[in-house]
Amino acid sequence: MADLDGLKVSKDYHVDVPFANQTGFFLKGSNSLDWGMKSHLSRIFNPKSGNTVMFAFDHGYFMGSTAGLERLDLLLPQLAPYVDCFMGTRGALRTCVPPELVKSVALRVTSGSSMLQEDLSHEVVAVDIEDAVRMNADCMAVQTFIGAGGQLSSIDNLSRVINAGIRYSVPTMGVCAVGKDMARTDRFFKLATRIIAEMGVQIVKSYDCENFEEVAAACPVPIVVAGGKKLPEKEALELAYGVMQKGAHGVDMGRNIFQSAHPVAMAKAVSKIVHDGYTVKEAWELFQEESR
Ligand code: 5RP
């Protein structure tokens, strides 16, 4: 193991210089992948904009019935036209998403904790690769706890899923989890997102933070940003706009869409920011019009 004494602070992020190893395929870090992986990634990320709007509704896997997600069967068909990817559990997808909706799917494959516990960082791989393939999953989402009690098992989970994904050409999305006691600093996210990327995932899901542009620049695969706790709609649009300006390749938004009084209007406004370069003002005006 490298000697940790006298570590130098990283500083040369070259945030204004585009990612260098980029000829041949539109998506960051995906040049050397095979056809199947690229095909899945092209379903998640719009090849024109290079970005994605994922709709996260996997909260039930540890929170049970969640405000705004009580009736997935009613909500998901309404949102489908305005998002690129559904991120959920196999139970929710199989029971509540008509397959003819033809959305790309980010399938959560780890679980094992519930909100009744103090430490949520101990999970297992609960869905095997054959079932992910049967569900035509476009990527498998693995909750990854860096710096928490469950770090070792979650890295073990992540490695198993990545290895299986490589065998069957199904991408893996490493979800950077933030434990209750962890500060959401750029230092933490630079560490965690880079560890997850170097494990071999094709997508990282993380959070906005100070110096997010450096986090994104130092991560060799696309980062999609979680929405996090419910904010007033305009602030959520500012969050989406800000991270897109700073190098995110999309958002994976849950509560800021499904807990809005107008989830469809919110999905449309976020999508315009992510794919069409709308400013916050333009997206906010669209949201207001659509929610009348
Ligand atoms: C947590 C997740 C959620 O999908 C993620 O937090 C996105 O939802 P929200 O935008 O509500 O935070 O991966 O395990």
Side-chain angles (χ1 to χ4, degrees):
M1 186 173 148
D3 187 350
L4 295 179
D5 289 339
L7 278 184
K8 286 191 180 169
V9 176
S10 312
K11 58 181 182 338
D12 294 332
Y13 292 99
H14 305 286
V15 293
D16 299 328
V17 183
F19 190 65
N21 181 28
Q22 198 54 57
T23 46
F25 187 64
F26 72 96
L27 200 62
K28 186 179 189 182
S30 302
N31 262 345
S32 306
L33 300 177
D34 74 1
W35 193 92
M37 285 262 186
K38 286 177 174 164
S39 171
H40 283 301
L41 291 167
S42 304
R43 283 164 48 82
I44 297 171
F45 293 89
N46 178 324
K48 266 198 202 144
S49 67
N51 301 325
T52 186
V53 177
M54 292 185 174
F55 175 60
F57 56 94
D58 58 331
H59 305 59
Y61 96 100
F62 79 108
M63 291 170 73
S65 172
T66 309
L69 293 181
E70 295 87 346
R71 289 293 302 266
L72 291 170
D73 58 318
L74 303 180
L75 180 68
L76 295 172
Q78 289 179 49
L79 290 177
Y82 310 106
V83 300
D84 303 291
C85 183
F86 276 160
M87 182 200 187
T89 60
R90 64 179 168 184
L93 286 157
R94 276 209 171 97
T95 55
C96 300
V97 181
E100 59 272 31
L101 280 185
V102 196
K103 280 290 105 184
S104 67
V105 163
L107 179 66
R108 173 167 288 282
V109 296
T110 54
S111 64
S113 53
S114 80
M115 61 188 288
L116 303 176
Q117 296 167 293
E118 268 303 301
D119 181 358
L120 302 179
S121 70
H122 300 273
E123 295 198 338
V124 295
V125 178
V127 179
D128 62 33
I129 182 69
E130 285 77 15
D131 207 32
V133 170
R134 267 194 294 273
M135 294 200 63
N136 204 20
D138 293 293
C139 73
M140 297 175 286
V142 176
Q143 195 78 330
T144 312
F145 298 87
I146 303 297
Q151 174 173 310
L152 183 60
S153 59
S154 76
I155 291 217
D156 185 46
N157 294 340
L158 186 64
S159 317
R160 288 168 194 276
V161 172
I162 293 168
N163 288 333
I166 288 170
R167 279 204 301 282
Y168 290 87
S169 274
V170 182
T172 299
M173 177 164 79
V175 179
C176 178
V178 189
K180 275 187 194 150
D181 304 327
M182 262 176 237
R184 296 181 176 224
T185 60
D186 57 335
R187 186 162 174 262
F188 169 72
F189 288 116
K190 280 172 188 163
L191 173 86
T193 56
R194 185 61 175 264
I195 290 175
I196 293 169
E198 296 215 15
M199 295 298 298
V201 301
Q202 289 74 33
I203 310 167
V204 169
K205 171 174 171 174
S206 189
Y207 289 84
D208 188 21
C209 62
E210 202 183 338
N211 301 319
F212 177 82
E213 66 280 11
E214 294 182 355
V215 178
C219 182
V221 296
I223 295 187
V224 293
V225 173
K229 68 174 188 206
K230 173 75 174 76
L231 301 166
E233 277 82 355
K234 195 167 181 198
E235 284 177 37
L237 297 174
E238 281 164 359
L239 167 77
Y241 180 80
V243 294
M244 293 308 294
Q245 296 300 305
K246 290 186 239 161
H249 285 260
V251 295
D252 186 6
M253 206 172 247
R255 286 163 287 179
N256 279 296
I257 292 178
F258 68 73
Q259 290 182 344
S260 168
H262 304 283
V264 172
M266 198 54 193
K268 282 186 185 175
V270 170
S271 172
K272 288 291 184 186
I273 288 174
V274 168
H275 292 304
D276 298 320
Y278 269 36
T279 61
V280 174
K281 182 171 178 290
E282 290 169 322
W284 174 238
E285 284 169 3
L286 176 71
F287 172 78
Q288 287 176 306
E289 265 167 43
E290 296 283 334
S291 48
R292 269 190 210 124

